[in-house]
Amino acid sequence: MMRFLLLFSRQGKLRLQKWFTPIPEREKKKIIRDMTTMVLARQPRSCNFLHWKDLKIIYKRYASLYFCLAIENQENELLALEVIHRYVELLDKYFGNVCELDIIFNFEKAYFILDEFLLGGEIQETSKQVVNRCIESSDMLQETMEEYMSKPAF
Amino acid sequence: MPAVSKGDGMRGLAVFISDIRNCKSKEAEIKRINKELANIRSKFKGDKALDGYSKKKYVCKLLFIFLLGHDIDFGHMEAVNLLSSNKYTEKQIGYLFISVLVNSNSELIRLINNAIKNDLSSRNPTFMCLALHCIANVGSREMAEAFASEIPRILVAGDTMDSVKQSAALCLLRLYKTSPDLVLMGEWTSRVVHLLNDQHMGVVTAAISLITCLSQKNPDEFKTCVSLAVSRLSRIVSSASTDLQDYTYYFVPAPWLSCKLLRLLQCYPPPEDGAVKGRLVECLETILNKAQEPPKSKKVQHSNAKNAILFEAISLIIHYDSEPNLLVRACNQLGQFLQHRETNLRYLALESMCTLASSEFSHEAVKTHIETVINALKTERDVSVRQRAADLLYAMCDRSNAKQIVAEMLSYLETADYSIREEMVLKVAILAEKYAVDYSWYVDTILNLIRIAGDYVSEEVWYRVIQIVINRDDVQGYAAKTVFEALQAPACHENMVKVGGYILGEFGNLIAGDPRSSPLVQFNLLHSKFHLCSVPTRALLLSAYIKFINLFPETKATIQEVLRCDSQIRNSDVELQQRAVEYLKLSSIASTDVLATVLEEMPPFPERESSILAKLKKKKGPGAVSVTELEDSKREGGELNGGSDRGPDTSSTPSPSADLLGIRSSAPVGTAPASAGNLLVDVFSEAGPAAPSAAVNDDGFLRFVCKNNGVLFENQLLQIGIKSEYRQNLGRMYLFYGNKTSVQFASFTTSVSCPGELQSHILSLNVQTKQVEPLVEGGAQIQQVLNIECLTDFSDAPLLNIKFRYGGALQNLTLKLPVTINKFFQPTEMSSHDFFQRWKQLSQPQQEAQKIFKANHSMDTEVLKAKLLGLGTALLDNVDPNPENYVCAGVIQTKGQQVGCLLRLEPNAQAQMYRLTLRCSKDSVSRRLCELLAEQF
């Protein structure tokens, strides 16, 4: 199974954190620090895999963002790379040419999309169409824009 | 602020996020956040009831603040309120907040569970999915208690929507992993297995993760999945890339599902049904064939997905390890990847080949790639790829290529990345030992190792070279010559000084004939390093000096001078001072005979598992070194010690960290004449030097871990039987000494001592006995009673020394008494619930000890039960969800404290293996019990 997924920027700023097993907050912070330093220190054109403790770390850079996925030892590295890619595709499809800012300002959406795609550290649905249909149909359930815009900002 | 804001924009949230982004410093950010927190708090506390939108917005802001890394201590209640909103977005944000921020023991859990319950029964698939996602994300025991029985029903119900089924399957998997005892399969097993046949690919993909996990735990109940998996795989593999529509990923049909199917099959042995097996082999061949076809796309996603399936298929082929043809094809395929331009593929090929190297069918095929792998070690730019290459060289090493591989690894070590040096050093040391035919090569290799990477050479490594030199007469002269030369270097590593000091102290005489290495030259060389060394090394050198006095009387005056000088005899370090004083005294008052006896050459070391290997295992973590590899090396490792032709009874089991050279205070029994303390006292006492000491016999020891009565020892002269009983922290042991001859034994004396740690500062076992009659008539039996009190937990067993005269010859025998920590067990009965609660409480990593090992005895249920009962614990029924597993509980009673212990033994009849897990309230007890028990099954 997958253990966690982290998204961080070139500067080491964390943009998304998903933990598939319960981990104490303090430990999480330590892992985040370890991952950012380890991954950011890698030379370009190195392989995308690292061993860390008893886990395999699979990372890939998309524009300014690093996606870093920890999987258990018997899992397939290449497929994990494609898990990352498929997630990027899903974000891209939803936001239309996704960029880091989309994820910053709509972080909750990034989490919702992830929950449709992965659950409990396993793949739930690999079809891009099905996931997008889910997300779009939930958007349809939302109240109209105008209704919200009429509310005060604070 | 960006233009993108899909769905509902929460403008306030976007403004807040921009503000944070505009903060110039960490302080400014904290200030802004505190302002916001104050604002939200006042809104939540205000008199005016907030509408759903505002509540959602503020909860979302709190979530954002938390994800930035700040603590949040309020807002949970508002989030829980959102759960019962009938507006989807509000509910959704509520669930997100709960999933991220609520930990299992929150008091809100009851309210949350209520909301989830409502959504699960709402029959609105979107709401149901949200609720299931939340359970899977939190996955706490409380949630398992509330929903573990409900979810299977949702999963297999005919009218459940596909998307809900998918979430339900993974949600159940999550609960099964946290609380296996609460997820009961039984009636729905077969319906879950049949999800493999589901029309909807998404459902199969989600369900197969669940099925794989359940199959690992209950292979028999789920074994029907094998044929279903094979036929599903075969349909996918033979399908055209367009057949599966959106489940085709970059022209590869259903890569995730294919890999999962291949992974599921790895839980089982090859199918017995010929037709199923034939179909599977066909699939595997098709996958291997496809690897040779030209790619359908240039995109890396295409090749990744395709190769992911290929690697998974190769794993399955290796797992079966029965189809030579497929194994060799797999190896050839990986061989191609070794030279691929994609770094990822080179990395994976190296990794995968490591496992292929351990199969007898493909070992030779792997070896043909040696040059490529060596080249990878030298030229890869990425250190993680180089590390895989080093691993593979280690795995493919055998007698035929050991010299080449060790030489390459040594030369790589000179420039190796610091992070991997220690591991490399261990590997070189192990290979050199395992495949040494020529011991001068072995000595050269280890000395080179110390020269090149001295800082990374751990104690185990240099202990080992000394053990081996001492046990092999034929290499001692060479070793002495070589260390002497190595010590000539102006700057040599301290580890070299240690080895040099030890070896010259023992065997310096073998090279003393050459005037260039005369005794005095040797001594001056060693002493020139003395002042640069740390205390333990100096202590060792002092022992080497006293040995010199014995070997070369002509150096006596010089050495006494050195010992006498203030920096030695008044050294501020107690150990050094004591050695200097005692050695000086010893050399001046003891007669040559006494000196020769005390300082005689070290006896051979008992054969044992290489402590280096143990260290590597520890470093890599359990499971990292394959079992076959370990056994292999155990078998081969034995040769080097040359132990077997060194007399019969030389086996003992000192802990791997036992101090080989007696540098620290405790000395291994029967060795280390040069060490300080007790032995010197013996020399000066009137008894004179002890009779040639016998090595400790522990043949019988392990047989008594799970039983209390029987024959402990027997040879032509003597039989020793024991009967023992234990209550609380007390025990009584009856020893029966039977004279098997017709001749009287004279001066029959016995003594019991507690070795090592037991003797030092803390007494952990108190053993009382009376002396037996000194005469044992032919054919007679005498009895001795030992009273034992366990003061604190211990790992070393007491030793029983027996001396007697038989026909004038002094017989001396030392046995390990089977007093083990488990004898003081009180069985504890407990319910499944209590067991798992305690199991969870003992969750610190040090409290657990685990071992996976091959069955050495019958795996019959009754035999196992008898052994576990003999252990002294209570054997608990209906605790483990898997009836094949055994679970025990007990409390160890010592005078000072009680140590609670839980045990779980999982047999795998198929693989003839066990996994043993112990959790105890005291770490040392977990470790010791695990060691003892691993030998019992």
Side-chain angles (χ1 to χ4, degrees):
Chain A
M1 74 178 277
M2 296 167 244
R3 293 289 193 79
F4 57 81
L5 172 69
L6 304 177
L7 265 65
F8 47 83
S9 68
R10 183 89 202 91
Q11 292 74 37
K13 278 258 187 201
L14 190 67
R15 297 305 182 202
L16 182 139
Q17 45 175 318
K18 182 75 183 177
W19 308 89
F20 296 110
T21 52
I23 296 174
E25 286 305 319
R26 189 207 281 261
E27 179 75 1
K28 284 183 189 170
K29 291 200 170 130
K30 196 180 164 303
I31 294 176
I32 293 169
R33 211 172 39 240
D34 279 8
M35 288 303 127
T36 44
T37 37
M38 233 167 69
V39 168
L40 292 176
R42 298 276 292 167
Q43 300 289 323
R45 291 169 51 79
S46 297
C47 74
N48 298 88
F49 318 130
L50 293 167
H51 277 233
W52 179 78
K53 300 200 173 159
D54 57 342
L55 298 179
K56 292 174 179 167
I57 308 298
I58 316 300
Y59 71 93
K60 187 156 184 184
R61 180 176 172 177
Y62 285 87
S64 59
L65 270 188
Y66 281 88
F67 289 68
C68 171
L69 180 63
I71 58 177
E72 285 176 356
N73 228 324
Q74 74 282 4
E75 296 283 320
N76 194 310
E77 292 97 334
L78 289 173
L79 216 48
L81 268 180
E82 297 318 301
V83 167
I84 293 177
H85 187 74
R86 171 81 351 148
Y87 182 48
V88 174
E89 287 183 345
L90 290 169
L91 292 170
D92 200 58
K93 178 104 191 204
Y94 181 77
F95 289 108
N97 247 333
V98 66
C99 65
E100 193 181 338
L101 283 178
D102 292 324
I103 296 173
I104 296 173
F105 280 93
N106 300 283
F107 69 95
E108 78 283 10
K109 295 286 184 229
Y111 283 96
F112 296 149
I113 294 171
L114 191 59
D115 270 352
E116 295 294 337
F117 176 43
L118 308 177
L119 188 62
E122 299 285 351
I123 291 264
Q124 177 169 224
E125 179 55 82
T126 64
S127 159
K128 198 158 49 168
Q129 284 168 15
V130 175
V131 174
N132 273 308
R133 223 180 298 134
C134 268
I135 300 288
E136 273 160 23
S137 73
S138 65
D139 272 355
M140 293 292 285
L141 286 170
Q142 295 173 1
E143 298 83 337
T144 56
M145 200 69 164
E146 287 82 351
E147 193 185 329
Y148 275 129
M149 297 304 277
S150 62
K151 307 250 157 121
F154 286 94
Chain B
M1 200 174 135
V4 189
S5 187
K6 274 201 88 160
D8 62 312
M10 283 176 276
R11 218 164 64 82
L13 176 65
V15 170
F16 174 58
I17 296 175
S18 323
D19 282 0
I20 295 288
R21 283 176 54 76
N22 291 332
C23 288
K24 294 277 182 294
S25 66
K26 194 82 195 161
E27 289 71 34
E29 181 184 307
I30 290 173
K31 209 171 147 205
R32 178 68 186 88
I33 284 171
N34 285 337
K35 183 178 152 208
E36 193 62 40
L37 287 174
N39 172 41
I40 299 173
R41 208 178 260 123
S42 75
K43 295 283 184 196
F44 283 169
K45 276 198 189 143
D47 311 329
K48 219 170 62 186
L50 286 174
D51 58 18
Y53 168 79
S54 311
K55 220 182 268 174
K56 177 180 88 167
K57 185 181 65 187
Y58 294 130
V59 166
C60 209
K61 280 182 181 173
L62 287 178
L63 187 58
F64 180 79
I65 294 169
F66 178 78
L67 289 169
L68 271 182
H70 302 272
D71 289 336
I72 293 295
D73 54 6
F74 68 103
H76 301 71
M77 201 55 196
E78 284 72 15
V80 173
N81 287 338
L82 285 176
L83 296 184
S84 41
S85 163
N86 48 15
K87 288 200 175 130
Y88 180 73
T89 48
E90 289 167 14
K91 200 186 265 296
Q92 202 182 18
I93 294 289
Y95 272 124
L96 180 60
F97 184 94
I98 302 294
S99 305
V100 174
L101 257 120
V102 171
N103 49 22
S104 61
N105 42 24
S106 158
E107 63 238 50
L108 293 171
I109 208 81
R110 217 169 37 83
L111 292 172
I112 297 169
N113 281 356
N114 258 337
I116 292 177
K117 202 163 273 167
N118 288 336
D119 282 335
L120 281 184
S121 49
S122 70
R123 310 190 61 80
N124 173 338
T126 331
F127 287 5
M128 287 173 87
C129 281
L130 274 185
L132 289 168
H133 291 178
C134 179
I135 301 173
N137 281 326
V138 177
S140 65
R141 181 144 185 107
E142 289 83 355
M143 285 195 175
E145 276 163 0
F147 304 111
S149 53
E150 175 64 17
I151 296 169
R153 229 169 286 146
I154 298 177
L155 176 61
V156 297
D159 57 349
T160 307
M161 299 271 293
D162 290 330
S163 61
V164 178
K165 273 191 192 168
Q166 287 168 268
S167 300
L170 294 176
C171 186
L172 192 58
L173 170 59
R174 183 80 191 84
L175 294 185
Y176 183 74
K177 282 188 175 163
T178 28
S179 315
D181 54 314
L182 294 177
V183 179
L184 302 169
M185 288 153 306
E187 71 226 73
W188 48 270
T189 302
S190 98
R191 296 174 73 181
V192 169
V193 172
H194 277 88
L195 288 173
L196 286 176
N197 270 339
D198 201 283
Q199 297 265 313
H200 191 281
M201 293 284 274
V203 172
V204 192
T205 310
I208 195 168
S209 296
L210 174 67
I211 296 169
T212 306
C213 178
L214 292 172
S215 300
Q216 280 164 345
K217 297 280 158 60
N218 320 279
D220 283 343
E221 283 164 59
F222 282 83
K223 64 171 176 260
T224 48
C225 70
V226 172
S227 60
L228 292 179
V230 170
S231 62
R232 189 96 212 192
L233 179 69
S234 152
R235 268 179 285 157
I236 297 173
V237 169
S238 57
S239 65
S241 59
T242 49
D243 290 354
L244 302 173
Q245 293 157 357
D246 204 34
Y247 290 91
T248 292
Y249 181 83
Y250 291 86
F251 303 100
V252 181
W256 278 281
L257 183 52
S258 306
C259 285
K260 287 271 176 191
L261 287 164
L262 289 161
R263 167 72 44 201
L264 172 61
L265 290 170
Q266 288 172 56
C267 303
Y268 290 92
E272 280 159 21
D273 182 332
V276 177
K277 185 165 183 198
R279 210 161 165 201
L280 177 56
V281 169
E282 220 168 86
C283 286
L284 294 171
E285 277 170 346
T286 313
I287 294 171
L288 286 167
N289 291 341
K290 278 190 180 171
Q292 298 299 325
E293 289 171 9
K296 293 202 176 78
S297 154
K298 284 201 173 113
K299 289 242 159 76
V300 67
Q301 283 76 25
H302 171 72
S303 75
N304 279 352
K306 190 169 145 185
N307 291 326
I309 300 175
L310 178 63
F311 275 106
E312 209 56 65
I314 291 176
S315 297
L316 182 63
I317 293 170
I318 297 171
H319 168 77
Y320 286 163
D321 199 12
S322 60
E323 301 280 334
N325 175 35
L326 289 176
L327 279 163
V328 171
R329 280 193 68 185
C331 186
N332 293 340
Q333 182 60 53
L334 293 177
Q336 285 181 20
F337 285 157
L338 285 182
Q339 318 221 34
H340 203 280
R341 61 187 169 78
E342 277 272 332
T343 316
N344 286 343
L345 285 180
R346 294 198 302 275
Y347 175 98
L348 293 175
L350 289 165
E351 191 177 61
S352 199
M353 264 202 182
C354 270
T355 37
L356 266 182
S358 58
S359 162
E360 54 169 323
F361 299 114
S362 49
H363 183 78
E364 288 303 315
V366 171
K367 274 168 63 185
T368 58
H369 299 288
I370 186 167
E371 297 302 334
T372 319
V373 183
I374 287 173
N375 200 37
L377 186 65
K378 285 180 177 157
T379 58
E380 282 289 351
R381 290 163 29 152
D382 181 349
V383 56
S384 40
V385 183
R386 292 200 298 272
Q387 188 163 7
R388 293 299 137 246
D391 286 349
L392 178 54
L393 282 179
Y394 178 73
M396 66 160 69
C397 191
D398 64 16
R399 215 167 279 290
S400 72
N401 55 21
K403 284 201 176 174
Q404 184 188 9
I405 286 179
V406 166
E408 292 294 347
M409 286 173 94
L410 267 178
S411 79
Y412 172 61
L413 204 47
E414 305 208 30
T415 53
D417 200 80
Y418 292 109
S419 58
I420 62 172
R421 283 195 184 187
E422 189 182 352
E423 197 181 314
M424 290 284 295
V425 166
L426 291 173
K427 286 183 166 166
V428 170
I430 289 168
L431 291 178
E433 175 179 340
K434 195 165 156 188
Y435 298 115
V437 191
D438 160 7
Y439 288 90
S440 50
W441 172 73
Y442 170 75
V443 170
D444 284 342
T445 304
I446 302 294
L447 293 186
N448 264 330
L449 208 52
I450 296 175
R451 210 169 37 72
I452 295 169
D455 283 343
Y456 299 89
V457 172
S458 56
E459 286 180 338
E460 287 84 351
V461 173
W462 69 264
Y463 283 4
R464 195 73 185 150
V465 67
I466 285 170
Q467 284 181 10
I468 285 167
V469 169
I470 289 191
N471 288 8
R472 306 284 319 188
D473 300 337
D474 50 345
V475 77
Q476 290 161 354
Y478 181 79
K481 180 165 161 283
T482 321
V483 285
F484 178 77
E485 279 160 10
L487 285 173
Q488 309 273 349
C492 65
H493 196 272
E494 186 160 339
N495 279 332
M496 189 70 88
V497 179
K498 289 179 185 164
V499 176
Y502 200 100
I503 289 188
L504 292 180
E506 294 292 327
F507 310 112
N509 55 329
L510 300 177
I511 55 168
D514 187 329
R516 283 166 300 174
S517 53
S518 73
L520 221 51
V521 174
Q522 285 184 42
F523 171 75
N524 287 333
L525 181 60
L526 279 180
H527 198 56
S528 68
K529 316 283 181 193
F530 189 91
H531 303 281
L532 302 170
C533 292
S534 63
V535 169
T537 309
R538 290 186 189 192
L540 183 148
L541 285 177
L542 289 178
S543 296
Y545 296 168
I546 185 76
K547 289 220 152 195
F548 265 54
I549 293 184
N550 176 46
L551 288 180
F552 317 114
E554 66 266 39
T555 60
K556 186 170 171 178
T558 321
I559 291 175
Q560 280 182 336
E561 186 111 351
V562 169
L563 292 175
R564 202 176 290 125
C565 77
D566 276 358
S567 63
Q568 306 296 358
I569 212 159
R570 287 169 205 260
N571 196 295
S572 59
D573 185 272
V574 180
E575 177 66 32
L576 292 182
Q577 190 186 97
Q578 187 178 357
R579 285 193 191 212
V581 171
E582 287 177 355
Y583 292 161
L584 185 59
K585 205 74 185 157
L586 176 66
S587 65
S588 28
I589 59 175
S591 69
T592 344
D593 284 351
V594 171
L595 210 56
T597 316
V598 179
L599 300 173
E600 104 189 293
E601 193 181 302
M602 291 288 278
F605 283 87
E607 185 181 340
R608 58 177 151 189
E609 188 194 359
S610 163
S611 52
I612 312 178
L613 202 62
K615 167 118 180 175
L616 184 68
K617 269 187 276 176
K618 210 165 84 191
K619 206 171 150 49
K620 292 222 112 180
V625 185
S626 73
V627 177
T628 46
E629 186 183 354
L630 290 182
E631 288 193 336
D632 189 38
S633 50
K634 230 186 240 166
R635 197 161 12 92
E636 306 224 22
E639 294 169 21
L640 246 183
N641 265 330
S644 49
D645 54 340
R646 284 283 189 161
D649 288 331
T650 51
S651 53
S652 77
T653 48
S655 73
S657 61
D659 182 5
L660 195 92
L661 297 171
I663 288 171
R664 286 179 235 116
S665 56
S666 68
V669 181
T671 55
S675 81
N678 306 341
L679 265 159
L680 292 179
V681 179
D682 280 350
V683 173
F684 296 122
S685 74
E686 52 186 4
S693 53
V696 178
N697 180 311
D698 67 353
D699 291 345
F701 179 72
L702 283 171
R703 283 187 288 113
F704 285 85
V705 172
C706 293
K707 65 173 187 177
N708 287 335
N709 307 324
V711 174
L712 177 64
F713 172 83
E714 184 158 11
N715 65 10
Q716 292 93 336
L717 307 178
L718 179 71
Q719 185 195 55
I720 304 175
I722 57 171
K723 251 173 113 165
S724 43
E725 53 198 38
Y726 293 88
R727 190 168 303 135
Q728 304 281 356
N729 70 325
L730 302 175
R732 179 166 294 167
M733 182 181 275
Y734 299 87
L735 291 159
F736 302 93
Y737 305 97
N739 182 343
K740 287 172 68 183
T741 68
S742 51
V743 186
Q744 187 188 59
F745 291 162
S747 340
F748 191 90
T749 55
T750 65
S751 61
V752 177
S753 63
C754 303
E757 60 182 89
L758 294 186
Q759 209 167 36
S760 55
H761 27 279
I762 311 160
L763 192 67
S764 43
L765 269 185
N766 182 5
V767 183
Q768 306 275 343
T769 183
K770 278 203 205 107
Q771 204 41 258
V772 289
E773 289 298 314
L775 293 180
V776 186
E777 296 300 332
Q781 189 184 60
I782 59 165
Q783 180 190 329
Q784 184 178 24
V785 186
L786 305 182
N787 287 316
I788 302 160
E789 184 185 15
C790 177
L791 303 173
T792 146
D793 75 285
F794 61 96
S795 42
D796 286 11
L799 298 176
L800 172 69
N801 180 263
I802 302 154
K803 289 194 190 107
F804 59 93
R805 281 185 187 282
Y806 167 71
L810 182 63
Q811 305 290 326
N812 185 356
L813 181 68
T814 305
L815 299 173
K816 228 179 190 184
L817 279 177
V819 181
T820 46
I821 184 72
N822 63 296
K823 300 293 179 197
F824 302 97
F825 255 128
Q826 289 280 104
T828 319
E829 292 290 345
M830 56 176 82
S831 70
S832 168
H833 177 78
D834 291 343
F835 182 87
F836 282 101
Q837 198 160 19
R838 286 182 204 189
W839 184 262
K840 230 163 90 185
Q841 283 162 359
L842 299 171
S843 61
Q844 286 170 30
Q846 322 85 281
Q847 291 176 323
E848 176 175 295
Q850 190 173 72
K851 247 189 186 159
I852 296 173
F853 52 90
K854 258 209 142 48
N856 287 317
H857 304 280
S858 153
M859 293 185 82
D860 180 73
T861 319
E862 292 311 311
V863 176
L864 286 179
K865 280 186 175 165
K867 282 184 181 168
L868 288 168
L869 286 172
L871 179 68
T873 51
L875 183 59
L876 306 177
D877 283 324
N878 302 323
V879 167
D880 201 289
N882 180 355
E884 302 290 307
N885 294 344
Y886 301 90
V887 167
C888 301
V891 176
I892 289 179
Q893 309 276 345
T894 72
K895 190 180 182 198
Q897 76 182 127
Q898 300 191 330
V899 184
C901 307
L902 301 176
L903 173 156
R904 185 174 192 211
L905 180 69
E906 299 160 275
N908 178 344
Q910 225 159 8
Q912 289 286 304
M913 306 269 291
Y914 291 100
R915 180 164 75 180
L916 173 70
T917 314
L918 276 140
R919 289 193 176 182
C920 305
S921 52
K922 201 164 175 190
D923 339 347
S924 51
V925 176
S926 298
R927 281 199 305 276
R928 180 57 183 159
L929 282 174
C930 195
E931 278 164 27
L932 284 171
L933 284 173
E935 307 289 332
Q936 299 300 315
F937 299 104

